[in-house]
Amino acid sequence: MAQPRVIIVGAGPSGVRCAETLVAAGLRPTVIDENRRDGGQIYRRQPDNFTRPYAKLYGTEAGRAQSLHESFDALRDKVDYLPETLAWNIFDNKLHVVRNEVSSAMPYDALIICSGATDRLMPVKGWHYAGTYSLGASQIALKAQACAIGRQIVFLGTGPLLYLVASQYIKAGANVAAVLDTSPLMRRVMALPKLLARPSVLLNGLGLVAGIKRAGVPVLTGITPVEIKGESESGVQSVLIRDSRGNERSFQCDAVAMGYHLRPETQLADLARCAFRFEQETRQWLPEVDEDGRSSVPGVYLAGDGMRVLGADAAEIGGRLAAMAVLTDLRLKVSDEELQGLRAEQASMERFRQGLAQAFPWPAEQAAQLPDEAIVCRCEAITAGELRHVVCGMGAQEANRAKAFSRVGMGRCQGRYCGHAGAEVIAHAAGVPVEQVGRLRGQAPVKPLSIAVREEQE
Amino acid sequence: MNHRFTRLAETSRIPVRLVIDGHTVEALVGDTLMVALLNNVRHLRESEFDDGKRAGFCLMGACQDCWVWTADGERLRACTTVVGEGMHIVTRQPEATWPNLA
Ligand SMILES: Cc1cc2nc3c(=O)[nH]c(=O)nc-3n(C[C@H](O)[C@H](O)[C@H](O)COP(=O)(O)OP(=O)(O)OC[C@H]3O[C@@H](n4cnc5c(N)ncnc54)[C@H](O)[C@@H]3O)c2cc1C
Ligand code: FES
């Protein structure tokens, strides 16, 4: 039989472990990644002429980072690696990619989507001012470029990444003004039984919070964001919140790093016509998959954060599981013992994920409280009031219809940063459960292409 | 206070020079265009919807809030482009590039 054509999108932890497992079984997959270098988000590599050692860059995860990078280096002549290549559409069992402004279509027998996640955002009045960044962005500035996003930085949002990045900033010598968490402390206590599925990770997290407090940085939980104050020319000036007792407090800063955990990048799965289901705990739509990452579409598999945000260690396991699913479906041999072992490990990762969702909930209620003049869509400066108007005045209660009327979700980020919050605004205005609002359909191209892009000549 | 980002390490790299809106400035080899710009100025572009200046948002190629233009009118995504010696960047969208909005 001719070599099956297997394509992996993404060279993060899940994509790399997936490739490794396929290569070990004698296949030669193609690995596509938009980035210049492998590593994905957490194990993002710094440019060649930077000199910080692994321990400094990746902290407690240095060993895992180095292992992943070395594994991929060893695979380089055993896979077809296409860096700086964007997968922008899936149509007719072909993956459409663009590289150096040339677009081509790649047929596949199996496609494994390891596309990772982006920050999940809840708008706050003033978040369009220059100097507001996503939490992930603030980490990328430090990790990949050894920069802080400002001179005095407020970390605002919720989730483990909030504390991780704040403490990375403090260690690197940045001036952190405050860490402001919307989740009440009580939720963390209630989630303990589930979080104990990964005791060392839990302990690590507690250590981070203690370290931030030791550094003299205020850490507030159970807060409600009120406004990012600033000025359209010069940008962010302060963050105003209500603390857990209901008192207003203001923190001066010239930069804000904001994030409410992560959301999977599911546009490719959507274009491949994979089925989605609504998950109540996290209030979002996720691709339907079996235990190993098979989607509802034969030949299309998902792994890592792009399927469900389980974190980096689980992404490595997920990559291996998806590869084994591919091998099984191609009627190649896999070790049943290994498969069972990986599934068991993944089950405790899933338990931990549920613990995180309980401890650091998505603050849906904030969408309802957004003042009418607050911008929901940063791309086109569309306000909560304008979105509410198409719901209440024009009867658009479904996400895609409200998008067509209001343009929320139609801008250059294609709904990545306004989609989830927009759905909550619509649901509240219409008085329906958020799942009834539906979800924004993924559209090709998944990111804007340059006008210079041309088709490859056969 | 004429720059937004601050460098915390890796500052002994070789300098490169580029031009921002007519002013020659210095950055370092290995900087992204965004980092090169924001270590010299406080914004990357102006919002075309009149809500003020913008300085990017995601740094990972997902939000497209960091578009800048070369003096020739080519659109660049500043967070995923590497700075090059002698680049000429403008932070205000040139009139002639409307088809580039795709
Ligand atoms: C900014 C950011 C910072 C994070 N930091 C941490 C951290 O410090 N600690 C932690 O435990 N977790 C962190 N996470 C969570 C972390 O991303 C994951 O746990 C882990 O990296 C997931 O691995 P993955 O392989 O699923 O995806 P990723 O590591 O995200 O890799 C996905 C890869 O797919 C590529 N890709 C996606 N779509 C396309 C496309 N259409 N075409 C071509 N290529 C594409 C991307 O370029 C990327 O390299 C972070 C997440 C983000 C978004
Ligand atoms: S800052 Fe988001 S794409 Fe560059």
Side-chain angles (χ1 to χ4, degrees):
Chain A
M1 174 177 133
Q3 267 265 355
R5 297 160 303 182
V6 182
I7 303 179
I8 301 169
V9 177
S14 57
V16 170
R17 293 304 175 206
C18 179
E20 186 180 50
T21 308
L22 294 171
V23 166
L27 300 185
R28 187 182 176 88
T30 299
V31 180
I32 289 170
D33 199 303
E34 194 190 358
N35 280 341
R36 234 178 319 281
R37 309 205 54 183
D38 58 286
Q41 290 302 350
I42 173 168
Y43 305 133
R44 181 178 281 271
R45 287 179 149 179
Q46 59 184 0
D48 279 332
N49 62 334
F50 283 51
T51 56
R52 288 168 298 172
Y54 270 89
K56 193 149 198 171
L57 262 182
Y58 305 108
T60 53
E61 307 308 303
R64 277 191 169 267
Q66 189 160 4
S67 152
L68 194 85
H69 294 161
E70 285 172 4
S71 298
F72 195 67
D73 289 343
L75 286 174
R76 283 294 284 272
D77 56 356
K78 302 187 182 81
V79 300
D80 295 310
Y81 175 42
L82 303 177
E84 294 186 81
T85 304
L86 174 73
W88 65 272
N89 195 8
I90 294 173
F91 187 68
D92 227 3
N93 271 352
K94 291 193 191 83
L95 183 73
H96 293 257
V97 303
V98 58
R99 185 176 201 209
N100 291 332
E101 303 196 333
V102 178
S103 174
S104 55
M106 307 173 73
Y108 57 81
D109 300 301
L111 173 70
I112 308 102
I113 302 174
C114 305
S115 51
T118 59
D119 294 274
R120 196 175 189 200
L121 265 305
M122 174 58 76
V124 55
K125 187 178 169 193
W127 74 313
H128 58 286
Y129 289 131
T132 305
Y133 290 96
S134 79
L135 181 59
S138 68
Q139 192 192 44
I140 294 170
L142 180 61
K143 218 182 250 186
Q145 295 277 288
C147 283
I149 55 168
R151 290 176 182 75
Q152 202 170 15
I153 304 131
V154 165
F155 287 85
L156 172 68
T158 199
L161 210 51
L162 190 71
Y163 296 94
L164 175 65
V165 185
S167 69
Q168 288 170 335
Y169 262 61
I170 292 168
K171 272 199 193 120
N175 181 4
V176 176
V179 178
L180 307 173
D181 187 340
T182 53
S183 304
L185 208 53
M186 216 28 229
R187 301 278 306 214
R188 251 162 274 183
V189 178
M190 276 152 53
L192 267 179
K194 285 178 188 146
L195 294 175
L196 277 166
R198 297 179 71 190
S200 63
V201 181
L202 177 61
L203 216 62
N204 229 332
L206 294 173
L208 290 178
V209 180
I212 297 170
K213 289 184 176 163
R214 260 199 317 278
V217 173
V219 176
L220 277 68
T221 55
I223 64 108
T224 308
V226 177
E227 182 176 354
I228 296 176
K229 299 222 181 212
E231 208 245 305
S232 59
E233 276 293 301
S234 61
V236 171
Q237 293 168 343
S238 66
V239 174
L240 181 68
I241 58 138
R242 257 194 314 279
D243 67 18
S244 55
R245 296 209 189 91
N247 301 320
E248 284 203 346
R249 291 180 63 175
S250 167
F251 295 88
Q252 265 200 5
C253 58
D254 65 349
V256 185
M258 249 181 104
Y260 294 83
H261 212 44
L262 302 167
R263 54 165 281 284
E265 274 283 289
T266 53
Q267 295 86 349
L268 288 175
D270 209 351
L271 291 167
R273 299 180 183 278
C274 297
F276 282 66
R277 68 180 173 84
F278 185 77
E279 186 183 68
Q280 275 304 341
E281 295 84 348
T282 58
R283 296 175 73 89
Q284 65 186 327
W285 293 85
L286 297 172
E288 262 178 36
V289 283
D290 78 356
E291 204 177 359
D292 303 329
R294 283 179 190 85
S295 77
S296 63
V297 176
V300 178
Y301 305 78
L302 299 162
D305 279 2
M307 172 181 102
R308 194 162 73 222
V309 178
L310 283 163
D313 297 355
E316 292 191 43
I317 300 170
R320 292 193 171 102
L321 280 172
M324 292 173 98
V326 170
L327 294 171
T328 306
D329 296 347
L330 290 170
R331 300 186 198 292
L332 295 167
K333 223 175 111 55
V334 299
S335 149
D336 197 48
E337 197 183 333
E338 194 186 342
L339 185 62
Q340 297 307 337
L342 289 171
R343 282 177 179 168
E345 268 186 84
Q346 203 69 322
S348 54
M349 300 285 175
E350 172 59 27
R351 194 168 160 71
F352 187 76
R353 180 183 80 100
Q354 289 172 11
L356 287 182
Q358 190 179 352
F360 302 104
W362 164 245
E365 67 289 348
Q366 273 183 45
Q369 291 156 13
L370 269 182
D372 272 345
E373 69 276 16
I375 284 175
V376 174
C377 158
R378 285 181 88 260
C379 298
E380 302 198 357
I382 303 161
T383 63
E386 289 172 86
L387 181 55
R388 287 175 185 137
H389 171 71
V390 306
V391 179
C392 302
M394 299 161 88
Q397 302 195 350
E398 189 274 331
N400 295 283
R401 206 170 150 76
K403 167 179 159 181
F405 289 169
S406 70
R407 291 194 60 83
V408 170
M410 219 183 252
R412 50 177 82 185
C413 86
Q414 295 171 279
R416 285 178 175 83
Y417 296 106
C418 61
H420 288 193
E424 300 286 0
V425 171
I426 298 169
H428 182 261
V432 300
V434 70
E435 56 270 38
Q436 202 170 310
V437 172
R439 65 192 177 88
L440 293 177
R441 281 186 293 271
Q443 280 179 340
V446 301
K447 289 186 183 174
L449 302 178
S450 156
I451 191 78
V453 167
R454 57 204 153 77
E455 287 288 324
E456 185 179 54
Q457 302 301 316
E458 297 282 332
Chain B
M1 293 254 293
N2 53 355
H3 57 105
R4 181 166 289 288
F5 281 7
T6 55
R7 296 192 191 273
L8 299 174
E10 305 281 357
T11 48
S12 49
R13 285 172 284 142
I14 301 168
V16 288
R17 294 206 299 179
L18 71 155
V19 178
I20 309 171
D21 296 330
H23 301 282
T24 301
V25 300
E26 250 184 30
L28 300 173
V29 169
D31 280 354
T32 61
L33 184 53
M34 178 164 181
V35 163
L37 292 166
L38 293 180
N39 273 291
N40 286 288
V41 294
R42 295 183 60 77
H43 71 278
L44 299 174
R45 67 180 189 99
E46 245 155 77
S47 163
E48 61 273 45
F49 298 91
D50 281 339
D51 58 306
K53 297 202 159 152
R54 293 293 181 92
F57 185 68
C58 75
L59 270 77
M60 52 183 287
C63 74
Q64 324 301 330
D65 194 17
C66 65
W67 290 352
V68 295
W69 293 267
T70 64
D72 307 337
E74 187 193 355
R75 186 183 83 203
L76 297 175
R77 190 166 69 189
C79 73
T80 55
T81 304
V82 180
V83 71
E85 177 72 37
M87 274 182 161
H88 274 250
I89 300 299
V90 291
T91 62
R92 196 180 278 260
Q93 179 169 5
E95 296 297 328
T97 55
W98 61 269
N100 246 3
L101 275 172

